[in-house]
PDB file of all heavy atoms in Angstrom:
ATOM      1  N   GLU A1356     111.563 123.073 108.107  1.00 90.00           N
ATOM      2  CA  GLU A1356     110.970 121.775 108.449  1.00 90.00           C
ATOM      3  C   GLU A1356     110.890 120.886 107.204  1.00 90.00           C
ATOM      4  O   GLU A1356     110.222 121.215 106.238  1.00 90.00           O
ATOM      5  CB  GLU A1356     109.573 121.978 109.036  1.00 90.00           C
ATOM      6  CG  GLU A1356     108.815 120.693 109.315  1.00 90.00           C
ATOM      7  CD  GLU A1356     109.462 119.845 110.388  1.00 90.00           C
ATOM      8  OE1 GLU A1356     109.642 120.363 111.508  1.00 90.00           O
ATOM      9  OE2 GLU A1356     109.784 118.685 110.105  1.00 90.00           O
ATOM     10  N   ARG A1357     111.580 119.747 107.216  1.00 89.00           N
ATOM     11  CA  ARG A1357     111.568 118.839 106.070  1.00 89.00           C
ATOM     12  C   ARG A1357     110.502 117.768 106.214  1.00 89.00           C
ATOM     13  O   ARG A1357     110.136 117.119 105.241  1.00 89.00           O
ATOM     14  CB  ARG A1357     112.938 118.200 105.869  1.00 89.00           C
ATOM     15  CG  ARG A1357     113.945 119.267 105.473  1.00 89.00           C
ATOM     16  CD  ARG A1357     115.051 118.863 104.582  1.00 89.00           C
ATOM     17  NE  ARG A1357     114.783 118.069 103.428  1.00 89.00           N
ATOM     18  CZ  ARG A1357     114.562 118.551 102.201  1.00 89.00           C
ATOM     19  NH1 ARG A1357     114.512 119.851 101.991  1.00 89.00           N
ATOM     20  NH2 ARG A1357     114.377 117.740 101.193  1.00 89.00           N
ATOM     21  N   GLY A1358     109.999 117.594 107.417  1.00 89.00           N
ATOM     22  CA  GLY A1358     108.932 116.629 107.633  1.00 89.00           C
ATOM     23  C   GLY A1358     107.584 117.230 107.259  1.00 89.00           C
ATOM     24  O   GLY A1358     107.496 118.267 106.611  1.00 89.00           O
ATOM     25  N   SER A1359     106.538 116.602 107.698  1.00 91.00           N
ATOM     26  CA  SER A1359     105.180 117.027 107.368  1.00 91.00           C
ATOM     27  C   SER A1359     104.787 118.292 108.148  1.00 91.00           C
ATOM     28  O   SER A1359     104.702 118.265 109.379  1.00 91.00           O
ATOM     29  CB  SER A1359     104.196 115.900 107.692  1.00 91.00           C
ATOM     30  OG  SER A1359     102.880 116.366 107.580  1.00 91.00           O
ATOM     31  N   LEU A1360     104.556 119.383 107.422  1.00 94.00           N
ATOM     32  CA  LEU A1360     104.069 120.609 108.053  1.00 94.00           C
ATOM     33  C   LEU A1360     102.684 120.355 108.650  1.00 94.00           C
ATOM     34  O   LEU A1360     102.366 120.851 109.731  1.00 94.00           O
ATOM     35  CB  LEU A1360     104.019 121.762 107.046  1.00 94.00           C
ATOM     36  CG  LEU A1360     103.533 123.103 107.587  1.00 94.00           C
ATOM     37  CD1 LEU A1360     104.465 123.618 108.681  1.00 94.00           C
ATOM     38  CD2 LEU A1360     103.408 124.116 106.470  1.00 94.00           C
ATOM     39  N   THR A1361     101.861 119.580 107.957  1.00 93.00           N
ATOM     40  CA  THR A1361     100.526 119.231 108.465  1.00 93.00           C
ATOM     41  C   THR A1361     100.634 118.602 109.845  1.00 93.00           C
ATOM     42  O   THR A1361      99.935 119.004 110.780  1.00 93.00           O
ATOM     43  CB  THR A1361      99.826 118.253 107.493  1.00 93.00           C
ATOM     44  OG1 THR A1361      99.664 118.902 106.234  1.00 93.00           O
ATOM     45  CG2 THR A1361      98.479 117.809 108.026  1.00 93.00           C
ATOM     46  N   GLN A1362     101.521 117.638 109.996  1.00 93.00           N
ATOM     47  CA  GLN A1362     101.671 116.958 111.279  1.00 93.00           C
ATOM     48  C   GLN A1362     102.164 117.924 112.362  1.00 93.00           C
ATOM     49  O   GLN A1362     101.672 117.909 113.487  1.00 93.00           O
ATOM     50  CB  GLN A1362     102.638 115.788 111.137  1.00 93.00           C
ATOM     51  CG  GLN A1362     102.751 114.958 112.384  1.00 93.00           C
ATOM     52  CD  GLN A1362     103.644 113.746 112.166  1.00 93.00           C
ATOM     53  OE1 GLN A1362     104.447 113.695 111.240  1.00 93.00           O
ATOM     54  NE2 GLN A1362     103.507 112.774 113.042  1.00 93.00           N
ATOM     55  N   LEU A1440      96.946 117.641 101.942  1.00 84.00           N
ATOM     56  CA  LEU A1440      97.863 117.077 100.951  1.00 84.00           C
ATOM     57  C   LEU A1440      99.073 116.472 101.645  1.00 84.00           C
ATOM     58  O   LEU A1440      99.592 115.434 101.230  1.00 84.00           O
ATOM     59  CB  LEU A1440      98.297 118.166  99.960  1.00 84.00           C
ATOM     60  CG  LEU A1440      99.335 117.781  98.914  1.00 84.00           C
ATOM     61  CD1 LEU A1440      98.838 116.650  98.023  1.00 84.00           C
ATOM     62  CD2 LEU A1440      99.705 119.002  98.078  1.00 84.00           C
ATOM     63  N   GLY A1441      99.535 117.106 102.728  1.00 82.00           N
ATOM     64  CA  GLY A1441     100.698 116.609 103.464  1.00 82.00           C
ATOM     65  C   GLY A1441     100.521 115.185 103.949  1.00 82.00           C
ATOM     66  O   GLY A1441     101.462 114.388 103.918  1.00 82.00           O
ATOM     67  N   GLN A1442      99.325 114.833 104.398  1.00 79.00           N
ATOM     68  CA  GLN A1442      99.078 113.467 104.859  1.00 79.00           C
ATOM     69  C   GLN A1442      99.250 112.479 103.720  1.00 79.00           C
ATOM     70  O   GLN A1442      99.800 111.401 103.901  1.00 79.00           O
ATOM     71  CB  GLN A1442      97.692 113.354 105.482  1.00 79.00           C
ATOM     72  CG  GLN A1442      97.603 114.073 106.805  1.00 79.00           C
ATOM     73  CD  GLN A1442      96.198 114.117 107.376  1.00 79.00           C
ATOM     74  OE1 GLN A1442      95.219 114.185 106.648  1.00 79.00           O
ATOM     75  NE2 GLN A1442      96.118 114.080 108.690  1.00 79.00           N
ATOM     76  N   LEU A1443      98.786 112.850 102.543  1.00 77.00           N
ATOM     77  CA  LEU A1443      98.932 111.992 101.372  1.00 77.00           C
ATOM     78  C   LEU A1443     100.406 111.864 100.977  1.00 77.00           C
ATOM     79  O   LEU A1443     100.923 110.768 100.784  1.00 77.00           O
ATOM     80  CB  LEU A1443      98.121 112.555 100.197  1.00 77.00           C
ATOM     81  CG  LEU A1443      98.320 111.875  98.851  1.00 77.00           C
ATOM     82  CD1 LEU A1443      97.791 110.452  98.876  1.00 77.00           C
ATOM     83  CD2 LEU A1443      97.635 112.669  97.754  1.00 77.00           C
ATOM     84  N   LEU A1444     101.104 112.996 100.878  1.00 78.00           N
ATOM     85  CA  LEU A1444     102.494 112.969 100.433  1.00 78.00           C
ATOM     86  C   LEU A1444     103.389 112.202 101.398  1.00 78.00           C
ATOM     87  O   LEU A1444     104.206 111.383 100.979  1.00 78.00           O
ATOM     88  CB  LEU A1444     103.018 114.396 100.257  1.00 78.00           C
ATOM     89  CG  LEU A1444     102.395 115.210  99.129  1.00 78.00           C
ATOM     90  CD1 LEU A1444     102.911 116.645  99.152  1.00 78.00           C
ATOM     91  CD2 LEU A1444     102.666 114.573  97.771  1.00 78.00           C
ATOM     92  N   PHE A1445     103.255 112.467 102.692  1.00 80.00           N
ATOM     93  CA  PHE A1445     104.165 111.853 103.657  1.00 80.00           C
ATOM     94  C   PHE A1445     103.775 110.431 104.053  1.00 80.00           C
ATOM     95  O   PHE A1445     104.504 109.793 104.793  1.00 80.00           O
ATOM     96  CB  PHE A1445     104.323 112.761 104.887  1.00 80.00           C
ATOM     97  CG  PHE A1445     105.191 113.942 104.602  1.00 80.00           C
ATOM     98  CD1 PHE A1445     104.634 115.156 104.219  1.00 80.00           C
ATOM     99  CD2 PHE A1445     106.569 113.845 104.668  1.00 80.00           C
ATOM    100  CE1 PHE A1445     105.436 116.247 103.918  1.00 80.00           C
ATOM    101  CE2 PHE A1445     107.385 114.933 104.368  1.00 80.00           C
ATOM    102  CZ  PHE A1445     106.814 116.131 104.001  1.00 80.00           C
ATOM    103  N   SER A1446     102.670 109.933 103.527  1.00 78.00           N
ATOM    104  CA  SER A1446     102.323 108.527 103.763  1.00 78.00           C
ATOM    105  C   SER A1446     102.922 107.631 102.687  1.00 78.00           C
ATOM    106  O   SER A1446     102.807 106.418 102.755  1.00 78.00           O
ATOM    107  CB  SER A1446     100.798 108.360 103.815  1.00 78.00           C
ATOM    108  OG  SER A1446     100.242 108.606 102.526  1.00 78.00           O
ATOM    109  N   SER A1447     103.583 108.225 101.704  1.00 76.00           N
ATOM    110  CA  SER A1447     104.181 107.468 100.601  1.00 76.00           C
ATOM    111  C   SER A1447     105.654 107.216 100.867  1.00 76.00           C
ATOM    112  O   SER A1447     106.420 108.157 101.080  1.00 76.00           O
ATOM    113  CB  SER A1447     104.029 108.243  99.291  1.00 76.00           C
ATOM    114  OG  SER A1447     102.667 108.501  99.042  1.00 76.00           O
ATOM    115  N   ALA A1448     106.051 105.950 100.810  1.00 76.00           N
ATOM    116  CA  ALA A1448     107.442 105.587 101.072  1.00 76.00           C
ATOM    117  C   ALA A1448     108.381 106.076  99.977  1.00 76.00           C
ATOM    118  O   ALA A1448     109.561 106.325 100.234  1.00 76.00           O
ATOM    119  CB  ALA A1448     107.561 104.069 101.223  1.00 76.00           C
ATOM    120  N   LEU A1450     108.347 108.900  98.360  1.00 78.00           N
ATOM    121  CA  LEU A1450     108.339 110.360  98.247  1.00 78.00           C
ATOM    122  C   LEU A1450     109.757 110.916  98.339  1.00 78.00           C
ATOM    123  O   LEU A1450     110.544 110.498  99.171  1.00 78.00           O
ATOM    124  CB  LEU A1450     107.500 110.961  99.381  1.00 78.00           C
ATOM    125  CG  LEU A1450     107.517 112.479  99.483  1.00 78.00           C
ATOM    126  CD1 LEU A1450     106.537 113.068  98.485  1.00 78.00           C
ATOM    127  CD2 LEU A1450     107.168 112.903 100.891  1.00 78.00           C
ATOM    128  N   ARG A1452     111.675 114.851  98.337  1.00 88.00           N
ATOM    129  CA  ARG A1452     111.437 116.294  98.376  1.00 88.00           C
ATOM    130  C   ARG A1452     112.679 117.006  97.852  1.00 88.00           C
ATOM    131  O   ARG A1452     113.799 116.705  98.259  1.00 88.00           O
ATOM    132  CB  ARG A1452     111.154 116.735  99.806  1.00 88.00           C
ATOM    133  CG  ARG A1452     110.844 118.196  99.936  1.00 88.00           C
ATOM    134  CD  ARG A1452     110.558 118.594 101.374  1.00 88.00           C
ATOM    135  NE  ARG A1452     109.487 119.567 101.371  1.00 88.00           N
ATOM    136  CZ  ARG A1452     108.737 119.861 102.414  1.00 88.00           C
ATOM    137  NH1 ARG A1452     108.919 119.250 103.554  1.00 88.00           N
ATOM    138  NH2 ARG A1452     107.788 120.760 102.320  1.00 88.00           N
ATOM    139  N   ARG A1471     107.650 129.406 101.948  1.00 93.00           N
ATOM    140  CA  ARG A1471     108.621 128.428 101.460  1.00 93.00           C
ATOM    141  C   ARG A1471     107.969 127.579 100.387  1.00 93.00           C
ATOM    142  O   ARG A1471     106.731 127.452 100.354  1.00 93.00           O
ATOM    143  CB  ARG A1471     109.126 127.551 102.597  1.00 93.00           C
ATOM    144  CG  ARG A1471     108.034 126.644 103.135  1.00 93.00           C
ATOM    145  CD  ARG A1471     108.448 125.910 104.365  1.00 93.00           C
ATOM    146  NE  ARG A1471     107.589 124.732 104.544  1.00 93.00           N
ATOM    147  CZ  ARG A1471     107.947 123.638 105.151  1.00 93.00           C
ATOM    148  NH1 ARG A1471     109.149 123.551 105.678  1.00 93.00           N
ATOM    149  NH2 ARG A1471     107.131 122.632 105.257  1.00 93.00           N
ATOM    150  N   PHE A1475     107.848 118.040  95.359  1.00 87.00           N
ATOM    151  CA  PHE A1475     107.821 116.647  95.785  1.00 87.00           C
ATOM    152  C   PHE A1475     107.769 115.784  94.532  1.00 87.00           C
ATOM    153  O   PHE A1475     107.009 116.075  93.611  1.00 87.00           O
ATOM    154  CB  PHE A1475     106.579 116.365  96.642  1.00 87.00           C
ATOM    155  CG  PHE A1475     106.615 117.013  97.992  1.00 87.00           C
ATOM    156  CD1 PHE A1475     106.149 118.313  98.161  1.00 87.00           C
ATOM    157  CD2 PHE A1475     107.094 116.330  99.097  1.00 87.00           C
ATOM    158  CE1 PHE A1475     106.169 118.919  99.410  1.00 87.00           C
ATOM    159  CE2 PHE A1475     107.119 116.932 100.347  1.00 87.00           C
ATOM    160  CZ  PHE A1475     106.655 118.218 100.505  1.00 87.00           C
ATOM    161  N   GLU A1486     103.987 127.211 100.697  1.00 95.00           N
ATOM    162  CA  GLU A1486     103.299 127.421 101.971  1.00 95.00           C
ATOM    163  C   GLU A1486     103.691 128.787 102.508  1.00 95.00           C
ATOM    164  O   GLU A1486     104.875 129.102 102.619  1.00 95.00           O
ATOM    165  CB  GLU A1486     103.705 126.330 102.973  1.00 95.00           C
ATOM    166  CG  GLU A1486     103.317 124.945 102.491  1.00 95.00           C
ATOM    167  CD  GLU A1486     104.238 123.848 102.994  1.00 95.00           C
ATOM    168  OE1 GLU A1486     105.463 124.097 103.171  1.00 95.00           O
ATOM    169  OE2 GLU A1486     103.734 122.736 103.192  1.00 95.00           O
TER     170      GLU A1486
END
Side-chain angles (χ1 to χ4, degrees):
E1356 175 65 57
R1357 294 212 46 94
S1359 171
L1360 180 62
T1361 298
Q1362 185 176 19
L1440 176 60
Q1442 290 173 327
L1443 172 67
L1444 293 175
F1445 285 95
S1446 68
S1447 302
L1450 174 81
R1452 182 180 218 161
R1471 68 188 201 152
F1475 290 87
E1486 298 151 327

